[in-house]
């Protein structure tokens, strides 16, 4: 049978792995500079841990794991005959691959809150899985790089996370815009339009604006039984000015009778103002009133990051979730977090040609194999180079020199080293810089001190 990959997954070559490590190292360094500590959680969780946390669409995309053994033996026959998949899932599966890193983190906090020092700041860089439809920048297996703070309601956490985003993307040399909103503002909009009971339906539809446009959002709102009268009251959402503070002022007028809406405006105004006071360019920070983010657990600020020069969708996102640990029986642990989408960040950097040469791991020296006793001398010299932290290897066979040259060129090795009988006799070494095409002969001492 011809081998193939599972849909939505990829293999990574040596160059791709090295470049991904380059991104991860920059993010990890910044996470730690900002006071975050590492955490890892299992690849799969109890299905009950994950379901009900992401909304209807999110739950649908969770990869369920079949129970071991004869999983069908305990299935209710009536449910099987009626193909009642909702009831069948709980009978044949009690585990699932994690959908994101936030819910498993909330589960960890709930289980360990008595041992943690609050505010607790953690970062996590691990793969997640979603049964989504694969397309450009969207995979079924992908990495998230998260930084979260729990145990603090201070809006200074939002300000700090904006700084973390901007510094990290500046270090990666990716020009970005951070789009911001607040779920309390969305709740205020629902009150203003008289659709409080349809808040989830409203935010899910609004979150698709970038994908389906205004007409698509309006159509979906009508399909979700939101009246045309309410939609007309929300028409101003699609005609915002470029001045964030002016848009917030407009909202204050509309939210005169909405306490939660005014609270959202106040919170967002604080974050924007403090960020500006810290020197953030307003062009890098945008109040996007239509930003909703479809996950149900957000309660306050929400973020989405987009690359300025590449059509890729969001390359980062996050928000405040003040009630998430409550579903695990632990109250009063507010939280906020952001995520970097490693795979999309990689694609943006590749398209903009932003990877430096050092982001690709290369062998510094390949020693040509001439056979005989010289092989041992070569291995001794290779050992000395490795002890100095310099990568080197010996071509394994005594093959024709052309073949060894070809191997070095295809593998991107920088230098080909010759240690033949003449060099051994004279205590020298000859090496060729395969990039510049220059060849040198040095004493062993000179070579080892390069």
């Amino acid at each position: 049978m011809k081998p193939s990959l599972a849909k939505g997954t990829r293999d990574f070559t040596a160059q791709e792995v090295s470049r991904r490590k380059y991104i991860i190292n920059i993010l990890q360094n910044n996470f730690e500079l900002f006071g975050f500590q590492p955490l890892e959680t299992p690849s799969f969780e109890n299905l009950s841990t994950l379901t009900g946390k992401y909304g209807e669409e999110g739950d649908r995309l969770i990869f369920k794991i079949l129970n071991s053994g004869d999983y069908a033996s305990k299935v209710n026959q009536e449910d099987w005959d009626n193909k009642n998949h909702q009831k069948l899932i709980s009978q044949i599966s009690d585990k699932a691959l994690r959908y994101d890193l936030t819910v498993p983190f909330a589960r960890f906090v709930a289980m360990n809150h008595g041992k943690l020092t609050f505010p607790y700041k953690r970062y996590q860089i691990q793969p997640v899985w979603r049964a989504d439809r694969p397309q450009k920048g969207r995979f079924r297996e992908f990495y998230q790089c998260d930084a979260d703070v729990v145990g603090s309601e201070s809006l200074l956490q939002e300000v700090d996370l904006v700084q973390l985003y901007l510094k990290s993307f500046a270090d990666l040399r990716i020009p970005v815009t951070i789009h911001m909103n607040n779920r309390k503002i969305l709740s205020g909009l629902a009150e203003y339009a008289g659709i409080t009971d349809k808040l989830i339906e409203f935010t899910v539809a609004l979150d698709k604006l970038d994908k389906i446009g205004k007409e698509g959002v309006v159509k979906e709102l009508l399909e979700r039984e939101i009246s045309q009268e309410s939609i007309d009251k929300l028409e101003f959402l699609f005609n915002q000015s470029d001045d964030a503070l002016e848009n917030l002022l407009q909202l204050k007028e509309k939210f005169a009778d909405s306490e939660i809406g005014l609270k959202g405006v106040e919170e967002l105004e604080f974050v924007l103002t403090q960020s500006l006071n810290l020197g953030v360019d307003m062009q890098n920070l945008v109040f996007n009133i239509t930003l909703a983010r479809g996950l149900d657990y957000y309660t306050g600020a929400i973020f989405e990051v987009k690359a300025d020069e590449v059509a890729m969708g969001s390359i980062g996102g996050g928000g405040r979730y003040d009630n998430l640990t409550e579903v695990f029986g632990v109250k009063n642990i507010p939280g906020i977090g952001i995520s970097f989408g490693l795979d999309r960040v990689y694609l943006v950097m590749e398209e903009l040609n932003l990877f430096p040469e050092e982001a690709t791991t290369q062998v510094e020296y390949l020693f040509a194999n001439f056979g005989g006793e010289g092989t041992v001398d070569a291995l001794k010299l290779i050992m000395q180079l490795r002890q100095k932290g310099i990568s080197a290897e010996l071509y394994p066979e005594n093959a024709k020199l052309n073949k060894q040259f070809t191997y070095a060129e295809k593998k991107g090795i920088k230098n080909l080293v010759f240690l033949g009988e003449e060099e051994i006799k004279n205590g020298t070494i000859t090496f060729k810089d395969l990039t510049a095409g220059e060849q040198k002969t040095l004493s062993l001492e000179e070579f080892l001190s390069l």
Side-chain angles (χ1 to χ4, degrees):
M1 186 175 69
K2 187 178 180 181
S4 62
L5 278 170
K7 200 172 184 180
T9 65
R10 296 150 296 155
D11 293 319
F12 297 110
T13 64
Q15 182 186 64
E16 290 168 329
V17 171
S18 297
R19 287 179 168 184
R20 287 164 68 87
K21 283 173 65 177
Y22 170 79
I23 297 170
I24 288 171
N25 287 341
I26 286 177
L27 296 181
Q28 185 171 349
N29 180 60
N30 281 321
F31 289 157
E32 294 179 358
L33 280 176
F34 278 68
F36 294 87
Q37 297 178 312
L39 174 72
E40 291 189 358
T41 59
S43 299
F44 59 91
E45 297 273 350
N46 289 324
L47 182 57
S48 58
T49 297
L50 303 179
T51 51
K53 315 302 187 302
Y54 306 107
E56 180 184 334
E57 292 198 24
D59 282 354
R60 183 174 52 81
L61 300 180
I62 294 173
F63 271 112
K64 286 81 174 176
I65 301 172
L66 285 175
N67 294 334
S68 301
D70 187 3
Y71 59 84
S73 62
K74 299 177 182 178
V75 170
N76 180 285
Q77 191 61 45
E78 183 179 349
D79 293 334
W80 186 275
D81 293 339
N82 293 333
K83 297 181 180 178
N84 190 329
H85 72 280
Q86 288 294 349
K87 289 186 177 180
L88 284 172
I89 285 173
S90 62
Q91 298 173 50
I92 65 175
S93 172
D94 58 14
K95 302 287 189 299
L97 294 175
R98 60 171 171 244
Y99 178 91
D100 72 353
L101 300 178
T102 306
V103 170
F105 172 54
R107 187 264 310 150
F108 169 83
V109 171
M111 290 178 65
N112 297 277
H113 65 281
K115 307 172 190 175
L116 301 175
T117 300
F118 293 105
Y120 174 57
K121 303 174 74 172
R122 85 85 173 83
Y123 74 85
Q124 197 168 343
I125 301 173
Q126 288 187 280
V128 299
W129 294 266
R130 296 182 186 178
D132 214 341
R133 189 174 55 129
Q135 52 187 286
K136 182 183 179 183
R138 189 183 297 273
F139 308 98
R140 289 181 168 177
E141 178 185 60
F142 56 97
Y143 265 71
Q144 286 187 334
C145 310
D146 285 15
D148 289 71
V149 189
V150 292
S152 172
E153 293 181 335
S154 171
L155 295 175
L156 291 175
Q157 304 294 358
E158 277 86 333
V159 177
D160 206 38
L161 290 174
V162 167
Q163 302 302 310
L164 175 56
Y165 258 147
L166 291 174
K167 183 179 186 310
S168 298
F169 283 116
D171 289 349
L172 292 167
R173 298 187 298 144
I174 302 176
V176 298
T177 301
I178 302 176
H179 294 248
M180 290 185 60
N181 199 3
N182 193 297
R183 290 292 282 233
K184 295 183 180 73
I185 289 176
L186 294 170
S187 295
L189 289 170
E191 280 189 2
Y192 172 73
I195 54 171
T196 302
D197 60 329
K198 296 281 187 180
L199 175 61
I200 299 300
E201 291 88 341
F202 167 55
T203 56
V204 167
L206 194 62
D207 193 48
K208 299 177 182 177
L209 181 63
D210 282 352
K211 300 174 188 173
I212 61 178
K214 175 187 171 182
E215 289 185 7
V217 170
V218 170
K219 180 183 177 186
E220 186 161 332
L221 290 173
L222 290 169
E223 289 172 352
R224 291 175 179 267
E225 299 180 355
I226 294 175
S227 70
Q228 185 64 54
E229 182 184 356
S230 295
I231 294 171
D232 290 341
K233 290 190 74 173
L234 296 170
E235 175 68 27
F236 73 96
L237 291 180
F238 307 105
N239 301 290
Q240 295 290 292
S241 77
D242 293 331
D243 188 327
L245 297 178
E246 180 185 319
N247 292 335
L248 286 172
L249 186 62
Q250 182 187 29
L251 279 181
K252 282 183 181 179
E253 297 173 2
K254 296 184 182 298
F255 289 166
D257 299 321
S258 173
E259 183 180 345
I260 192 168
L262 287 174
K263 181 67 174 172
V265 170
E266 178 189 323
E267 290 180 1
L268 187 54
E269 202 169 32
F270 177 87
V271 177
L272 287 170
T273 303
Q274 293 303 318
S275 296
L276 288 173
N277 290 340
L278 290 171
V280 174
D281 190 332
M282 201 56 188
Q283 289 184 329
N284 298 125
L285 205 56
V286 172
F287 167 38
N288 183 350
I289 198 171
T290 63
L291 175 62
R293 293 196 64 77
L295 301 179
D296 286 355
Y297 54 63
Y298 290 125
T299 57
I302 44 179
F303 306 97
E304 202 159 88
V305 183
K306 297 185 179 180
D308 292 343
E309 299 172 10
V310 179
M312 183 60 68
S314 64
I315 58 175
R320 180 167 282 280
Y321 46 91
D322 285 345
N323 308 312
L324 194 52
T325 58
E326 286 189 23
V327 299
F328 300 115
V330 180
K331 296 183 178 181
N332 302 320
I333 304 184
I336 181 170
I338 59 173
S339 180
F340 296 77
L342 173 63
D343 303 85
R344 287 190 176 184
V345 169
Y346 181 102
L347 291 173
V348 168
M349 292 186 68
E350 187 175 52
E351 190 163 331
L352 297 178
N353 196 28
L354 295 177
F355 285 108
E357 186 180 339
E358 61 267 24
T360 300
T361 302
Q362 289 180 312
V363 176
E364 193 74 24
Y365 295 103
L366 172 69
F367 280 67
N369 190 331
F370 297 108
E373 295 179 4
T375 302
V376 176
D377 293 282
L379 288 172
K380 287 179 179 178
L381 197 51
I382 287 170
M383 185 172 64
Q384 292 181 67
L385 288 172
R386 289 171 176 170
Q387 287 171 346
K388 290 165 64 72
I390 300 170
S391 58
E393 64 174 278
L394 174 70
Y395 192 81
E397 283 89 30
N398 179 12
K400 290 182 179 180
L401 203 53
N402 280 346
K403 186 174 182 180
Q404 300 189 49
F405 259 110
T406 301
Y407 172 81
E409 288 171 351
K410 285 186 174 180
K411 197 171 177 181
I413 296 173
K414 296 179 179 179
N415 300 286
L416 185 59
V417 180
F418 308 104
L419 188 61
E421 290 181 9
E422 193 69 25
E423 284 83 8
I424 293 171
K425 186 174 82 172
N426 296 328
T428 60
I429 195 163
T430 300
F431 68 96
K432 185 169 185 176
D433 183 331
L434 298 179
T435 304
E438 298 175 354
Q439 187 164 305
K440 294 181 181 179
T441 297
L442 301 173
S443 68
L444 291 176
E445 292 76 16
E446 288 175 319
F447 176 71
L448 289 171
S449 64
L450 284 176

